[in-house]
Amino acid sequence: MRVLIDIGHPGHVHLFKNLAHILIKKGHSVLFTVREKEHEVDLLKSENLPFKCIGKHFSSRPGKALGLIYYNLKIFLISYRFKPDMFLSHGSVYTLLSAFLSRKPNYSLEDTGNREQVRLYLPFTQAVITSTGFPYRYGAKQVFYNGYHELAYLHPDHFSPNPSVLKELGLNETDKYFILRFVAWKASHDRNQSGLTADQKNAIIELLTKKGHVYISSEAHLPPQMESLRFPLKPERMHHALAFATLFVGEGATMASESAILGTAAILVNTIRGGILEEQEKDYGLISCFSGFDGVIERITKLLEDPNLKSETKRKMERLIHDKIDLTEFLLRFLEDRFERSVADM
């Protein structure tokens, strides 16, 4: 079995890396295609996974329109040589030409629900794989699993937080530290959405620096006073750092969900809403979601006043892990089953 996986975000590398390693170990062939946006190439290199970089990420509207043609052609040329049996991605619109012309199945994982993106790739996609907590419905092509994307790489069967990250940060076990995540708001699903203003970010930083150490992860350029707080380690160390953090605050839904699954309380400030985040907030009490800044400072203060915050959050996380599945194992069975069916039909 030969699988081409298209990557458009650092989180997509994490989403598919364990699946890729298992497939390769079982004798299958895997190739990633990737656009340079943030840390995607570095993450693929750190995982020692085969990939082809097809260029820089386009963030403007004209650039995205050009990229739709350019990247589809680039991936077509790569797939012509690689000859994949199937295409896999997180809602990519750049594998469509290759899948259509080669008459090979295109499978897409989805958790953002971007209407224009889904509308574009759905006719060329044989299965859209979503969580049971996902709020949108796509008809007969939709395949459900009881879990979250983050459980493909943060499930205990695949990930064990390494406390050595504390030493790398110059901290000890009793030090409190906080991770902030700011997004660039340039993704297609970010259109008409918003998070924190510069003044609001400064207010959060001012509060948290009085309580402990602050580290910032940011897609966009940071002003000088924030740049000194940028997370200093390699991107592959972030999940280890999240696991031992006292609190996560940010605009990034993925990192908020990752924090929850790692047993770290999370505060998300983002106008984007979804069933998955609501489930983690209402059913498990792991995330506090805000559409605006009102109440954010009060919520941070209240959480930090709880001396049992970390132990209570871990208890809630353990209940979530017990309720949900290992997505990597699910995807492995799904792809092998679909491949075996296609071979049998030949």
Side-chain angles (χ1 to χ4, degrees):
M1 182 166 67
R2 303 176 69 81
V3 185
L4 188 145
I5 304 175
D6 187 47
I7 296 297
H9 184 277
H12 303 168
V13 179
H14 296 305
L15 177 61
F16 296 117
K17 66 183 181 183
N18 290 317
L19 173 67
H21 284 305
I22 294 170
L23 287 170
I24 292 169
K25 189 174 182 179
K26 295 184 74 171
H28 303 299
S29 296
V30 175
L31 179 65
F32 286 84
T33 51
V34 59
R35 293 161 296 290
E36 291 184 78
K37 179 185 177 186
E38 196 174 351
H39 303 301
E40 297 87 350
V41 171
D42 290 338
L43 287 169
L44 286 167
K45 286 180 178 178
S46 73
E47 291 291 332
N48 196 28
L49 288 167
F51 71 91
K52 296 284 187 182
C53 184
I54 59 175
K56 296 283 187 180
H57 170 75
F58 293 125
S59 58
S60 67
R61 275 197 177 186
K64 288 181 183 296
L66 174 64
L68 185 61
I69 300 170
Y70 177 74
Y71 293 139
N72 263 283
L73 288 173
K74 291 276 283 188
I75 291 178
F76 173 73
L77 292 174
I78 291 169
S79 63
Y80 180 78
R81 299 184 185 95
F82 180 63
K83 294 180 171 51
D85 295 301
M86 60 185 66
F87 296 84
L88 180 66
S89 71
H90 180 297
S92 176
V93 296
Y94 303 124
T95 58
L96 307 183
L97 178 67
S98 301
F100 176 73
L101 292 179
S102 65
R103 297 184 180 181
K104 298 297 181 181
N106 188 50
Y107 302 128
S108 178
L109 277 77
E110 183 62 59
D111 70 347
T112 61
N114 183 313
R115 289 184 181 180
E116 63 181 41
Q117 187 171 309
V118 174
R119 191 180 298 122
L120 186 58
Y121 75 66
L122 192 58
F124 303 92
T125 301
Q126 281 61 49
V128 182
I129 304 167
T130 70
S131 168
T132 51
F134 187 69
Y136 303 111
R137 296 295 178 263
Y138 303 128
K141 291 183 177 181
Q142 194 165 9
V143 176
F144 295 96
Y145 66 91
N146 181 28
Y148 310 120
H149 281 188
E150 294 76 26
L151 285 169
Y153 51 96
L154 296 180
H155 190 280
D157 287 350
H158 302 293
F159 181 79
S160 296
N162 190 336
S164 67
V165 74
L166 298 175
K167 185 176 181 180
E168 294 169 27
L169 290 169
L171 306 174
N172 59 53
E173 292 182 1
T174 60
D175 287 332
K176 290 185 177 182
Y177 69 95
F178 314 97
I179 294 180
L180 309 184
R181 171 65 171 175
F182 303 143
V183 302
W185 301 103
K186 292 182 179 180
S188 56
H189 59 262
D190 290 332
R191 194 170 300 151
N192 301 320
Q193 306 294 341
S194 62
L196 295 161
T197 67
D199 287 343
Q200 290 165 355
K201 292 174 184 177
N202 283 324
I204 292 171
I205 292 169
E206 183 179 352
L207 171 62
L208 292 178
T209 50
K210 295 175 182 177
K211 306 289 185 179
H213 302 270
V214 173
Y215 302 105
I216 299 174
S217 166
S218 179
E219 287 181 314
H221 172 76
L222 290 171
Q225 69 273 20
M226 293 186 192
E227 186 63 44
S228 63
L229 300 175
R230 188 182 285 275
F231 184 69
L233 307 181
K234 292 181 179 181
E236 60 266 27
R237 302 300 287 164
M238 176 56 80
H239 293 136
H240 298 276
L242 277 175
F244 297 100
T246 305
L247 182 68
F248 167 87
V249 184
E251 304 166 310
T254 296
M255 282 189 71
S257 182
E258 289 172 340
S259 299
I261 289 168
L262 290 168
T264 297
I267 294 176
L268 176 67
V269 187
N270 192 320
T271 51
I272 296 175
R273 281 291 170 267
I276 294 167
L277 294 170
E278 291 175 4
E279 184 175 278
Q280 291 175 340
E281 179 179 31
K282 295 177 181 178
D283 294 356
Y284 296 99
L286 288 161
I287 298 179
S288 300
C289 297
F290 293 86
S291 296
F293 193 60
D294 287 348
V296 171
I297 294 295
E298 291 80 1
R299 183 59 177 162
I300 293 173
T301 302
K302 184 176 181 180
L303 287 174
L304 295 184
E305 288 174 348
D306 182 359
N308 300 313
L309 176 62
K310 196 67 182 180
S311 61
E312 284 296 307
T313 306
K314 285 188 175 181
R315 181 183 59 79
K316 296 172 184 177
M317 171 268 287
E318 289 167 359
R319 184 166 70 89
L320 180 149
I321 296 295
H322 178 268
D323 291 347
K324 303 300 178 181
I325 68 163
D326 173 359
L327 177 56
T328 290
E329 180 63 27
F330 175 90
L331 290 174
L332 178 65
R333 293 197 311 269
F334 175 86
L335 294 182
E336 289 186 330
D337 177 66
R338 291 294 179 109
F339 179 67
E340 288 170 6
R341 284 196 223 170
S342 68
V343 171
D345 291 339
M346 290 177 64

